[in-house]
Amino acid sequence: MLHFRIIEYGSCDYQDMVALRDVILRKPLGLTFTPDYLQQEISDFLLGCYTKGNDNDKEILIGCCILSPVDETTIQLRQMAVDQAYQGRGIGSGIISFAEQQAVQNGFTTLMMHARKTAAGFYEKLGYKIHGNEFTEVGIAHYEMMKAL
């Protein structure tokens, strides 16, 4: 059973989120998070996907993303990550759905992202469209993608 919720910046859940993003998104590229980088997330929407652990008492974080307001109508999805043990099970789609709900509830009408080229097909299946040309970010190919909510 999956459970989606907002994560409080600086909390234990937030530390779990940073650790998951580090393993999935940063370490494979030889990158790390700096305190200054993480400080910028203080006013973002931090979203987590949880499931029950083996003991069925404690929930464990298995996926996450960040929503960063761009302007009054547009919000950017960033740092989307799903634990490798749970990839391919629809968790990413669930996180996107939850993120879209949060964006709409907070008055945003467009969700945009810088999607890794390898993930563009995943986002296209969820209704996102590529805008502009391929570009390089953190050393890998990306596309800007958008969806009207």
Side-chain angles (χ1 to χ4, degrees), residues 7 37 59 73 95 99 105-106 108 111 114 132 136 140 145:
I7 293 174
Y37 181 93
E59 287 188 322
T73 60
I95 292 169
Q105 286 174 13
N106 285 282
F108 296 95
L111 197 150
H114 292 175
T136 301
I140 54 177
M145 300 187 78

Side-chain angles (χ1 to χ4, degrees), residues 15 82 137:
Q15 298 309 317
V82 175
E137 191 170 78

Side-chain angles (χ1 to χ4, degrees), residues 17-28:
M17 179 188 198
V18 171
L20 176 63
R21 290 162 40 208
D22 189 47
V23 167
I24 301 298
L25 302 173
R26 290 297 200 212
K27 282 187 178 153

Side-chain angles (χ1 to χ4, degrees), residues 10-145:
S11 66
C12 290
D13 285 340
Y14 177 73
Q15 298 309 317
D16 291 344
M17 179 188 198
V18 171
L20 176 63
R21 290 162 40 208
D22 189 47
V23 167
I24 301 298
L25 302 173
R26 290 297 200 212
K27 282 187 178 153
L29 301 177
L31 301 172
T32 57
F33 288 115
T34 63
D36 287 345
Y37 181 93
L38 294 175
Q39 180 67 31
Q40 295 172 21
E41 299 174 358
I42 197 163
S43 58
D44 290 339
F45 299 90
L46 310 168
L47 312 180
C49 175
Y50 293 82
T51 191
K52 292 286 186 183
N54 292 335
D55 60 11
N56 256 355
D57 287 334
K58 182 167 172 25
E59 287 188 322
I60 56 170
L61 178 70
I62 58 170
C64 61
C65 73
I66 297 174
L67 294 176
S68 301
V70 174
D71 58 35
E72 289 182 10
T73 60
T74 303
I75 196 159
Q76 181 176 0
L77 182 131
R78 304 187 308 105
Q79 296 284 297
M80 171 86 170
V82 175
D83 186 307
Q84 285 185 315
Y86 293 89
Q87 290 179 7
R89 300 187 194 180
I91 289 154
S93 299
I95 292 169
I96 295 293
S97 178
F98 182 64
E100 290 173 353
Q101 291 169 21
Q102 293 301 310
V104 169
Q105 286 174 13
N106 285 282
F108 296 95
T109 56
T110 302
L111 197 150
M112 62 81 64
M113 67 189 76
H114 292 175
R116 291 181 181 195
K117 184 177 180 178
T118 56
F122 165 78
Y123 293 113
E124 285 177 321
K125 287 179 188 166
L126 299 174
Y128 290 83
K129 303 272 187 259
I130 293 172
H131 288 262
N133 296 320
E134 180 182 313
F135 62 94
T136 301
E137 191 170 78
V138 295
I140 54 177
H142 281 73
Y143 289 111
E144 181 172 288
M145 300 187 78

